Amino acid sequence: MQPIRPLGPAVKAEVTADLNGLPHGRITQYQDVAHVFTVGLPELELWFMALGGPITRQPAGQGVVHYTLRTYTERTHGARIAVHASALVTDQIDPACADAVTHLPAA
């Protein structure tokens, strides 16, 4: 029996979100990576707490920064996921996540 939807990274990320109760606004796929768009830092922090992984922070416009968590559907393996959140430069990430953040220069 063939699945109704192909089991690509986006579907696997959606299943991971449902199984772990993780919030998301939109999940899409580009090449072989699922891209999860969240409302803000608290939602990205929940993904980090559940799955781990490195987080990058880079400028995204005047007064805005963009955070991206790079992780997998299962800790350290599975389908690749990039979890995205935008925030004001004054917003602070949870201290429990701070060690995972790398600051990148503007593109």
Side-chain angles (χ1 to χ4, degrees), residues 48 52-56 68-69 95-102:
F48 174 79
I55 301 170
T56 57
T68 302
L69 165 66
C97 306
D99 287 343
V101 178
T102 301

Side-chain angles (χ1 to χ4, degrees), residues 4 11-12 17 31 35-36 41 54 57-58 62 66 72-74 92 99 103-104 106:
I4 295 172
V11 173
K12 291 177 181 179
Q31 297 176 347
H35 291 269
V36 177
L41 283 179
R57 178 186 189 268
Q58 64 186 47
Q62 188 172 359
H66 183 80
Y72 297 90
T73 52
E74 301 171 45
Q92 298 295 313
D99 287 343
H103 297 260
L104 299 176

Side-chain angles (χ1 to χ4, degrees), residues 39-42 45 57 63 65 67 86-94:
V39 175
L41 283 179
E45 293 163 355
R57 178 186 189 268
V65 291
Y67 288 84
S86 294
L88 295 173
V89 295
T90 55
D91 292 346
Q92 298 295 313
I93 196 160
D94 187 297

Side-chain angles (χ1 to χ4, degrees), residues 17-37:
D18 290 345
L19 289 175
N20 291 285
L22 298 172
H24 58 86
R26 175 181 173 209
I27 298 177
T28 190
Q29 181 176 324
Y30 181 71
Q31 297 176 347
D32 64 341
V33 179
H35 291 269
V36 177
F37 297 90

